[in-house]
């Protein structure tokens, strides 16, 4: 009989700790640095929010290069981007993502755009997040403290934030933001590969962008895994840690030892209508 998915995960986690301790240290570091939205002001939220559109459909190395280009301009940019056409305003004037689909106004906007190679549609999405954060900060000192406070389901959270942030903020990009808040995992290629190889989500292909329904189901399966390996609850810290471990197991090529015949046992009862509470957020 093949090993259960949770035992396979524990073995892979131990193998990663033993053979690639730097990956485990990074996962621990990320977990310790998770931004608790109940305590985070607008500046703290902005630090983990603004760069997410740079990673959508882009290589990590390229996205990081774009982020470096904007580093000197982005501090406090949530106060100004999209605030006034005399300062910084990017407007979409035609369908599509070509440069001609957008209108740029304001000296600050033109200066930033002339100094970097980032596509306008990505800057437009960052502007959308700035506007949404600014609106929340006008009302709440801790702009995103409401997330999950009322037991709101993950699907509802994603759709709410998509409406607030505007065009271009797909479910995966929203989940990338929520990952840094310890409220979700990002369903990237490597995380999906690990979960699929463990037999936990064989119906979700790692070769395409998951749908909203698939992304939410994957999150609930990861939360269930966290509980099934012995944790008393799902917390922002162990969710962020597990997200990174699942990703690194695949990225570092540790899946070869995993049984290809593992059965879909763990997580088979997970339901998209279930709301998992995350303690300590």
């Amino acid at each position: 009989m093949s090993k259960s998915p949770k035992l396979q995960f524990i073995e892979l986690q131990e193998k990663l700790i033993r053979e690639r301790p730097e990956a485990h240290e990074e996962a621990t570091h990320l977990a310790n640095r998770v931004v608790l939205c109940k305590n985070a002001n607008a500046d703290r939220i902005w630090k983990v929010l603004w760069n997410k559109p740079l990673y959508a459909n882009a290589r990590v190395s390229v996205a990081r290069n774009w982020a470096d280009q904007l580093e000197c301009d982005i501090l406090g940019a949530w106060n100004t981007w999209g605030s006034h056409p005399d300062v910084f305003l990017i407007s979409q004037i035609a369908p599509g993502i070509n440069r001609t689909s957008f209108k740029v106004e304001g000296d600050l906007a033109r200066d930033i755009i002339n100094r970097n190679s980032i596509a306008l549609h990505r800057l437009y999405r960052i502007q959308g997040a700035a506007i949404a954060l600014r609106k929340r900060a006008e009302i709440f000192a801790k702009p995103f403290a409401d997330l999950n406070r009322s037991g709101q389901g993950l699907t509802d959270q994603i759709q709410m934030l998509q409406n607030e942030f505007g065009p271009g903020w797909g479910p995966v990009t929203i989940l990338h933001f929520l990952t840094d808040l310890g409220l979700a995992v990002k369903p990237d290629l490597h995380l999906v590969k690990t979960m699929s190889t463990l037999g936990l989500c064989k119906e979700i292909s790692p070769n395409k962008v998951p749908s909203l329904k698939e992304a939410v189901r994957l999150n609930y399966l990861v939360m269930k895994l966290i509980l099934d390996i012995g944790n008393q609850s799902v917390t922002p810290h162990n969710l962020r840690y597990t997200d990174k471990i699942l990703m690194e197991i695949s990225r570092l090529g540790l899946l070869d030892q995993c049984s290809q015949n593992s059965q879909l046992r763990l997580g088979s009862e997970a339901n998209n209508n279930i709301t998992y509470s995350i303690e300590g957020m």
Side-chain angles (χ1 to χ4, degrees), residues 9 175 179 184-201 204-206 210 214-215 217-223 225-226 239-252 255:
F9 171 73
L175 286 167
T179 297
V185 299
K186 181 189 176 189
D188 75 348
L189 165 69
H190 291 295
L191 187 144
V192 174
K193 277 186 176 180
T194 299
M195 291 291 286
S196 179
T197 303
L198 290 173
L200 300 179
C201 65
I204 301 176
S205 171
E214 290 172 334
R217 174 169 171 76
L218 184 65
N219 266 267
Y220 289 152
L221 292 171
V222 172
M223 292 179 190
L225 174 63
I226 289 171
L239 188 57
R240 186 67 184 93
Y241 171 84
T242 305
D243 168 85
K244 181 65 171 177
I245 293 297
L246 287 167
M247 185 193 78
E248 292 294 343
I249 284 172
S250 168
R251 190 181 73 84
L252 297 175
L255 289 175

Side-chain angles (χ1 to χ4, degrees), residues 201-271:
C201 65
K202 289 184 176 179
E203 73 279 14
I204 301 176
S205 171
N207 299 316
K208 67 179 184 65
V209 176
S211 66
L212 172 59
K213 183 177 180 180
E214 290 172 334
V216 169
R217 174 169 171 76
L218 184 65
N219 266 267
Y220 289 152
L221 292 171
V222 172
M223 292 179 190
K224 191 173 189 300
L225 174 63
I226 289 171
L227 297 175
D228 284 353
I229 63 175
N231 291 285
Q232 295 299 309
S233 62
V234 179
T235 70
H237 303 287
N238 63 31
L239 188 57
R240 186 67 184 93
Y241 171 84
T242 305
D243 168 85
K244 181 65 171 177
I245 293 297
L246 287 167
M247 185 193 78
E248 292 294 343
I249 284 172
S250 168
R251 190 181 73 84
L252 297 175
L254 301 181
L255 289 175
D256 291 344
Q257 76 175 61
C258 212
S259 169
Q260 298 301 311
N261 299 313
S262 58
Q263 300 299 310
L264 183 57
R265 300 176 223 165
L266 183 62
S268 61
E269 298 175 359
N271 188 305

Side-chain angles (χ1 to χ4, degrees), residues 28 121 216:
T28 302
H121 70 87
V216 169

Side-chain angles (χ1 to χ4, degrees), residues 8 17 36 42 63 81 101 117 153 170 197-198 247 252 266:
Q8 291 185 71
I17 293 171
L36 299 178
W81 285 36
S101 298
S117 61
T197 303
L198 290 173
M247 185 193 78
L252 297 175
L266 183 62

